[in-house]
């Protein structure tokens, strides 16, 4: 937490109460939360915070590399782990689970351009949903 004001200063952002509450909520909830989940956590300490503010700040954090944004789900989710890793996304309950990349995993040759983000995403039915279906 004590490093966050320096991060804001380095990125040219004001270290506001809203940003501090968002950062604290993200550290508390490392399970790929949605905007609404983060909003619910932040409202406990800042009841006047708006959903739009939460969405804007999450995207701002993502642009500055503090988070990774996971798109192509029913709603954007945010990941505090910004190092390359794999995700398993359940098609039923939409849970997202982190997994390490396979040993020696590298980007394929022939990519034209400068990659800024890459991920390995596997989708299917998680163990919890499988056991509920039986």
């Amino acid at each position: 937490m004590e490093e966050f004001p320096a991060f804001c200063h380095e990125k040219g952002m004001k270290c506001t109460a809203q940003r501090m509450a968002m950062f604290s909520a993200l550290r508390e909830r490392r399970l790929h939360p949605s905007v609404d989940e983060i909003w619910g956590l932040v409202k406990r300490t800042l009841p006047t915070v708006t959903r739009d503010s939460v969405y804007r700040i999450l995207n701002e954090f993502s642009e500055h590399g503090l988070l990774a944004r996971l798109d192509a789900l029913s709603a954007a989710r945010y990941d505090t782990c910004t190092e390359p890793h794999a995700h398993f996304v359940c098609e039923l309950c939409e849970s997202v689970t982190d997994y390490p990349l396979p040993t020696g995993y590298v980007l394929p040759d022939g990519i034209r351009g400068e990659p800024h983000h890459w991920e390995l995403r596997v989708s299917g039915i998680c163990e919890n949903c499988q056991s509920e279906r039986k």
Side-chain angles (χ1 to χ4, degrees):
M1 273 305 275
E2 59 269 353
E3 297 166 358
F4 186 70
F7 174 83
C8 287
H9 180 72
E10 177 186 316
K11 300 299 181 181
M13 300 184 298
K14 292 181 181 176
C15 189
T16 63
Q18 286 184 342
R19 286 190 180 103
M20 287 290 289
M22 295 274 299
F23 182 73
S24 177
L26 288 164
R27 289 178 54 92
E28 177 183 323
R29 183 79 190 242
R30 292 183 174 254
L31 300 172
H32 308 92
S34 68
V35 171
D36 290 332
E37 289 170 326
I38 292 294
W39 184 34
L41 290 172
V42 172
K43 282 181 18 176
R44 292 180 192 166
T45 56
L46 292 174
T48 60
V49 71
T50 65
R51 187 179 188 279
D52 288 342
S53 292
V54 170
Y55 190 77
R56 180 182 46 75
I57 291 169
L58 286 171
N59 284 330
E60 184 179 63
F61 285 175
S62 179
E63 289 169 13
H64 290 297
L66 187 61
L67 302 172
R69 181 179 159 142
L70 304 174
D71 288 316
L73 301 166
S74 63
R77 305 279 284 279
Y78 295 85
D79 193 351
T80 57
C81 177
T82 58
E83 299 298 319
H85 61 285
H87 290 117
F88 181 85
V89 180
C90 180
E91 296 168 350
L92 297 179
C93 70
E94 297 184 350
S95 64
V96 180
T97 307
D98 287 340
Y99 289 97
L101 289 170
T103 304
Y105 187 85
V106 295
L107 289 173
D109 291 334
I111 292 179
R112 298 174 190 209
E114 180 182 326
H116 292 168
H117 172 79
W118 58 281
E119 67 180 270
L120 173 62
R121 184 182 299 182
V122 177
S123 63
I125 310 299
C126 72
E127 290 178 334
N128 288 339
C129 289
Q130 285 178 358
S131 64
E132 288 177 10
R133 294 171 89 184
K134 291 181 181 179

